[in-house]
């Protein structure tokens, strides 16, 4: 049991935040636009302190990726999560 838990933690640690979210919630990552969206999210994080959705002009907790719209409607405006 302990070995299973350790292996699970190692697997999770090797995944990115967006891969973990997608897996947990049944989404796939849109590989066609992934790099562009992730670059925009990282830019927002550097400029504003959080991964604000690049599709939103708002800089609120509701627009931090994965945004409230995705959590409420299962629709990602950026199409990162499909």
């Amino acid at each position: 049991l302990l070995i299973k838990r350790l292996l699970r933690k190692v697997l999770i640690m090797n995944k990115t935040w967006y891969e973990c979210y997608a897996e947990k919630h049944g989404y796939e990552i849109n590989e066609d636009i992934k790099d562009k969206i992730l670059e925009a999210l990282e830019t927002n994080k550097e400029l504003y302190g959080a991964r604000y959705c690049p599709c939103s002009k708002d800089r609120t907790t509701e627009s931090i990726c994965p945004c409230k719209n995705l959590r409420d409607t299962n629709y990602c405006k950026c199409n990162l999560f499909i």
Side-chain angles (χ1 to χ4, degrees):
L1 184 61
L2 180 59
I3 293 173
K4 273 182 130 176
R5 286 183 186 167
L6 290 173
L7 286 173
R8 186 167 189 268
K9 285 184 181 182
V10 168
L11 289 174
I12 289 171
M13 288 172 54
N14 287 327
K15 290 185 180 181
T16 61
W17 65 267
Y18 58 88
E19 289 171 324
C20 290
Y21 186 85
E23 184 177 297
K24 181 176 180 180
H25 297 282
Y27 297 109
E28 292 182 23
I29 300 299
N30 186 344
E31 295 294 330
D32 295 335
I33 62 165
K34 175 184 78 170
D35 292 338
K36 182 178 179 179
I37 298 298
L38 292 175
E39 183 178 328
L41 288 169
E42 287 307 310
T43 298
N44 284 342
K45 185 173 182 177
E46 290 173 13
L47 293 174
Y48 308 112
R51 290 186 313 260
Y52 293 108
C53 176
C55 296
S56 174
K57 293 180 182 179
D58 296 332
R59 303 284 184 257
T60 66
T61 56
E62 293 182 354
S63 65
I64 295 174
C65 187
C67 70
K68 185 175 183 336
N69 184 69
L70 174 64
R71 295 188 309 268
D72 289 350
T73 67
N74 293 322
Y75 174 71
C76 178
K77 291 180 183 179
C78 299
N79 288 315
L80 175 62
F81 299 100
I82 52 176

